[in-house]
């Protein structure tokens, strides 16, 4: 298969970690007979330096013309004083909006080799943590009308929460399709005991369920879900939820797995062209020292293969290689524990390549 990937290295550790992910993709292409070509895109601080704009239209166009986008991270102290609309992070928001990616998918997976890093009790971690939160990204209360008015002599703040059936249906489909590619269990999370938007959410999810008979759908109230994630996360396969609930639950879910450097993410819209990036930032404190953990980015590349290119065997191959390197005791500084062998970014990439 031929695929063109837009590559945004970005700032800070971005170039170091993305370079390792590209070496992994090249090896996968060789092994499985694919052809991956790369289009370099400047976004963030480096684009401000080059163009005076964190994401010029020409760079965004390269992304929307690609089969998918791989991103390192953007931002850093050098651009802290840049005015609001020209900040590096604005490039990221413009990219998400320009690509129309309405679904953010973040896996919460504990690597057994790193179980000690989880703040949960060992007996909970031992049952396994391996689920994905599918979060609606461009609707709901964050995108409603926000206003503060004067009423009866005091200020009253109003944030509007709306969801249309179509907005729910399109994120619901991503939830069901993600579940189809995993353990075929989907948990729809809402607050239907209080909110109209949640009652509509639940109704639409159940209508959709008829189209996906191979997926087992369950419902859970968001407050219960927040408790279940720390009480027994092994019960979840795929969670689908609205924007604000997903924002909070996905941060909770990534915390229980231990290390920020290990976690990938994907954002998808109506087409298979997705945005894939680690959840961490540009880590300016360790940039340029070849000590960053490239695994979150390498696993983001694996997600791209699985969810945008339908290359499940190739994605498995990468994930298994990462697991074997961890089994052998190699760790970057962020996941290091006594008795392990400390390696840098390039060395970690090389070890994963050897296992592919
Ligand atoms: P950060 O995620 O960059 O770093 C937080 C801590 O985690 C730091 O100590 C860092 O060294 C460590 N860390 C992060 N990734 C690591 C990795 N792969 N390997 C080893 N250690 C790692 O968050 P921050 O310091 O709050 O933000 C730094 C910059 O990144 C800011 O400019 C921020 O706006 C930006 N940022 C960008 C994105 C993005 O591009 N998607 C996301 C978050 C923050």
């Amino acid at each position: 298969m031929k695929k063109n990937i837009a590559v945004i290295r970005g700032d800070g550790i971005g170039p170091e970690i993305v370079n390792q992910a590209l070496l992994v993709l090249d090896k996968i292409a060789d092994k499985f007979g694919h052809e991956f070509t790369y289009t370099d895109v400047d976004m963030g601080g480096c684009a401000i330096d080059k163009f005076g704009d964190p994401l010029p239209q020409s760079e965004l166009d390269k992304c929307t013309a690609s089969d998918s986008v791989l991103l390192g991270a953007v931002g850093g102290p050098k651009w802290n004083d840049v005015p609001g609309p020209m900040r590096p992070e604005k490039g990221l928001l413009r990219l998400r909006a320009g690509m129309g990616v309405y679904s953010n998918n973040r896996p919460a997976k504990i690597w057994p080799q790193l179980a000690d890093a989880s703040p949960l009790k060992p007996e909970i971690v031992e049952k396994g943590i391996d689920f994905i939160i599918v979060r609606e990204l461009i609707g709901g209360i964050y995108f409603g009308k926000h206003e503060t008015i004067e009423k009866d002599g005091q200020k009253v703040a109003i944030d509007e929460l709306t969801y249309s059936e179509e907005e729910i249906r399109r994120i619901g489909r991503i939830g069901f399709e993600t579940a189809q590619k995993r353990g075929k269990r989907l948990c729809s999370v809402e607050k239907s005991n209080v909110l109209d938007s949640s009652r509509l959410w639940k109704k639409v999810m159940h209508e959709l369920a008829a189209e996906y008979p191979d997926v087992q759908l369950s419902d859970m109230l968001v407050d219960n879900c927040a408790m279940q994630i720390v009480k027994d996360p092994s019960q979840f396969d795929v969670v689908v939820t609205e924007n604000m609930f997903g924002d909070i639950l996905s941060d909770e879910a990534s915390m229980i797995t231990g290390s920020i450097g290990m976690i990938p993410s994907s954002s998808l819209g109506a087409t298979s062209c997705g945005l894939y990036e680690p959840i961490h930032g540009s880590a300016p404190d360790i940039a340029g020292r070849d000590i960053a953990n490239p695994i979150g980015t390498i696993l983001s590349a694996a997600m791209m293969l699985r969810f945008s290119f339908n290359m499940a065997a190739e994605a498995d191959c990468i994930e298994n290689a990462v697991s074997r390197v961890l089994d052998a005791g190699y760790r970057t500084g962020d996941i290091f524990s006594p008795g392990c062998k400390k390696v840098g970014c390039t060395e970690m990439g090389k070890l994963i390549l050897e296992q592919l």
Side-chain angles (χ1 to χ4, degrees), residues 13 17 43 71-77 80 87 89 92 96 260-262 277-286 291-297 332-334:
I13 59 170
I17 54 180
M43 186 181 88
L71 164 67
V74 296
N80 274 355
R87 288 183 61 79
E89 295 79 4
L92 190 53
R96 289 174 181 157
I260 191 174
M262 298 288 298
E277 54 178 319
I279 66 159
H280 59 74
S282 59
D285 53 330
I286 57 167
I291 58 170
N293 186 349
I295 296 179
T297 316
T332 43
D334 58 314

Side-chain angles (χ1 to χ4, degrees), residues 206-319:
H206 282 264
E207 284 166 7
L208 277 177
E211 293 176 36
Y212 301 90
D214 53 333
V215 175
Q216 184 195 328
L217 175 68
S218 61
D219 305 296
M220 193 177 276
L221 295 176
V222 63
D223 37 359
N224 186 24
C225 184
M227 290 191 286
Q228 295 300 327
I229 284 177
V230 289
K231 186 169 172 255
D232 180 16
S234 71
Q235 69 188 282
F236 296 110
D237 178 24
V238 180
V239 169
V240 63
T241 191
E242 59 103 92
N243 201 345
M244 185 168 66
F245 298 162
D247 188 8
I248 298 164
L249 294 178
S250 64
D251 267 14
E252 184 191 11
S254 52
M255 256 315 289
I256 63 171
T257 66
S259 173
I260 191 174
M262 298 288 298
I263 306 174
S265 78
S266 71
S267 300
L268 284 157
T271 70
S272 61
C273 177
L275 170 62
Y276 296 84
E277 54 178 319
I279 66 159
H280 59 74
S282 59
D285 53 330
I286 57 167
R289 292 165 54 195
D290 195 29
I291 58 170
N293 186 349
I295 296 179
T297 316
I298 289 171
L299 294 174
S300 298
M303 281 188 93
M304 175 187 293
L305 301 183
R306 188 182 303 282
F307 294 111
S308 281
F309 303 164
N310 263 317
M311 298 179 183
E314 292 83 338
D316 286 346
C317 182
I318 296 175
E319 289 164 6

